[in-house]
Amino acid sequence: MTVPATEAAAEARPPRIGLVDTARGAALIAMATYHFSWDLEFMGYLAPGTAETGWLKIYARAIATTFLFIVGVSLVLSGRPEIRWPSFWKRFAMIAGAALLISAATAYFVPGQWIYFGILHCIAVLSLIGIIFLRLPLPVTLLVTLALFVAWIADTFVMPGVLDSHLLDPKYFAWLGFAAMPDRSNDYVPLFPWATALFLGMSLTRLALRTNLPQRLASLGTGGTWLARLGRHSLAFYLVHQPVLIAIAYGLTFVIAPPKPDPAATYLRQCNASCTVEQGEALCRSFCQCTLDQLQAQQLFAPFQTGAVKADDERIMALASLCSAQIEPGPAPQSEPQPQPQQ
């Protein structure tokens, strides 16, 4: 029986594609630049909330998408012509172990925003899911990829939050990606919608293996560049880079003291960053500006910032309700609690 050329090409061992390592190395550098902006914010050089809003927020999501797409590509390439189980389990153990280490370290140093399901946790779980699809027919993988993409479009643009539920807010459910208001974390990368990037990488790579595209990409070289070498040691770089960057940012404070932040600007950034987890950005901007104006008009802003007046104070609750009513007239939906100003 003659095996069709497309199927034979798909099952043959693919060539080493240096471009994949180079892309991974470039993503690592991008990740380091984003994390350094977070470190500068932590040290007071950037206003609180800077790294979580605006173009930096888009930048961070693009980096995470790139990483997970490359994981999908690499999973397929390393699984041809057959899965090398010892290598797979070794790498999985390294990633899962590093994820647990990150959780333990952040729980100790930043308990209020510790990383309970970040990028490494997501990669570890999706690797287990992805390996199952390597031996399933290609149409199944394509169908799941399409379903995930459609669900992401619907949940983000058509009916924002339609798949979310407050029942899934606790950490032990939030990792699935359907929490309406998940607990704060310095790195939150749940399975949905991020699995979309991994499945897209798997789908496109499995399609590409039926053509001569892998051979053409391998012929480009680029496997010997410093970016490619960095990409082949991505986990080590991930674990080492942040302590180094924090040390640099901390050392900078001895050379140039960080500026004193504007309390009003700080409040707006923190309020918007927290509010947009559950509400739309436009609504949150109006709400946060309204609450700031009300706090200042009632001379509650300074006491609220220092903690002398708490968020559950009747006066704070009243002005929050007032601003909610002004922005979105009518009673708030029972399933969506009104946003509250943040300290």
Side-chain angles (χ1 to χ4, degrees):
M1 180 178 177
T2 303
V3 179
T6 54
E7 292 186 15
E11 293 302 323
R13 168 166 281 187
R16 180 78 186 190
I17 303 176
L19 189 61
V20 175
D21 294 326
T22 302
R24 190 185 296 109
L28 287 169
I29 296 299
M31 174 193 68
T33 61
Y34 172 75
H35 283 169
F36 192 57
S37 71
W38 188 92
D39 298 335
L40 292 176
E41 177 186 323
F42 183 74
M43 294 298 171
Y45 291 99
L46 298 176
T50 299
E52 299 176 356
T53 55
W55 71 269
L56 279 174
K57 180 180 179 180
I58 298 173
Y59 186 44
R61 291 183 174 182
I63 295 168
T65 300
T66 301
F67 268 120
L68 290 166
F69 179 86
I70 294 174
V71 170
V73 172
S74 300
L75 200 60
V76 173
L77 294 178
S78 63
R80 292 292 189 276
E82 59 184 16
I83 301 172
R84 296 185 286 277
W85 289 110
S87 297
F88 172 80
W89 288 119
K90 178 182 177 181
R91 180 158 182 79
F92 171 79
M94 292 172 62
I95 295 173
L100 292 175
L101 179 63
I102 293 294
S103 291
T106 54
Y108 179 80
F109 289 107
V110 283
Q113 298 187 31
W114 68 287
I115 299 174
Y116 57 90
F117 204 83
I119 185 69
L120 290 184
H121 304 72
C122 188
I123 290 174
V125 174
L126 286 178
S127 294
L128 293 178
I129 296 174
I131 204 74
I132 298 173
F133 281 82
L134 288 185
R135 287 298 177 260
L136 292 178
L138 176 58
V140 176
T141 303
L142 294 175
L143 184 61
V144 172
T145 304
L146 179 62
L148 286 170
F149 185 76
V150 170
W152 172 70
I153 292 293
D155 190 60
T156 305
F157 301 105
V158 181
M159 294 180 289
V162 66
L163 300 178
D164 300 341
S165 171
H166 285 290
L167 296 175
L168 302 177
D169 284 350
K171 292 183 179 68
Y172 45 83
F173 287 135
W175 61 276
L176 294 171
F178 302 106
M181 197 169 185
D183 289 339
R184 298 278 294 172
S185 175
N186 283 326
D187 185 24
Y188 176 57
V189 188
L191 295 188
F192 181 81
W194 298 103
T196 310
L198 179 131
F199 272 88
L200 182 61
M202 290 183 62
S203 295
L204 293 181
T205 305
R206 291 186 65 176
L207 288 172
L209 288 175
R210 294 169 175 261
T211 70
N212 66 344
L213 181 60
Q215 288 72 21
R216 292 171 59 186
L217 293 177
S219 67
L220 297 177
T222 72
T225 64
W226 68 271
L227 274 178
R229 290 194 292 271
L230 178 64
R232 289 192 286 271
H233 299 87
S234 56
L235 185 58
F237 181 88
Y238 184 91
L239 294 175
V240 170
H241 83 284
Q242 189 63 314
V244 172
L245 293 178
I246 289 178
I248 293 173
Y250 178 70
L252 189 61
T253 63
F254 293 96
V255 181
I256 305 174
K260 292 183 178 181
D262 176 9
T266 298
Y267 170 83
L268 289 175
R269 285 187 179 276
Q270 291 178 329
C271 179
N272 277 290
S274 177
C275 176
T276 51
V277 172
E278 185 176 6
Q279 306 289 342
E281 290 190 12
L283 183 147
C284 287
R285 283 196 298 270
S286 299
F287 171 80
C288 292
Q289 185 63 57
C290 176
T291 56
L292 173 62
D293 293 340
Q294 289 293 328
L295 286 167
Q296 291 175 331
Q298 299 180 34
Q299 298 183 343
L300 291 172
F301 182 65
F304 183 60
Q305 291 294 96
T306 60
V309 175
K310 304 296 183 181
D312 58 358
D313 186 283
E314 291 183 0
R315 293 166 294 177
I316 302 299
M317 298 291 286
L319 66 87
S321 298
L322 174 64
C323 289
S324 293
Q326 290 180 353
I327 295 166
E328 196 171 6
Q334 294 297 317
S335 60
E336 296 185 7
Q338 295 179 354
Q340 298 295 325
Q342 300 296 307
Q343 290 178 268

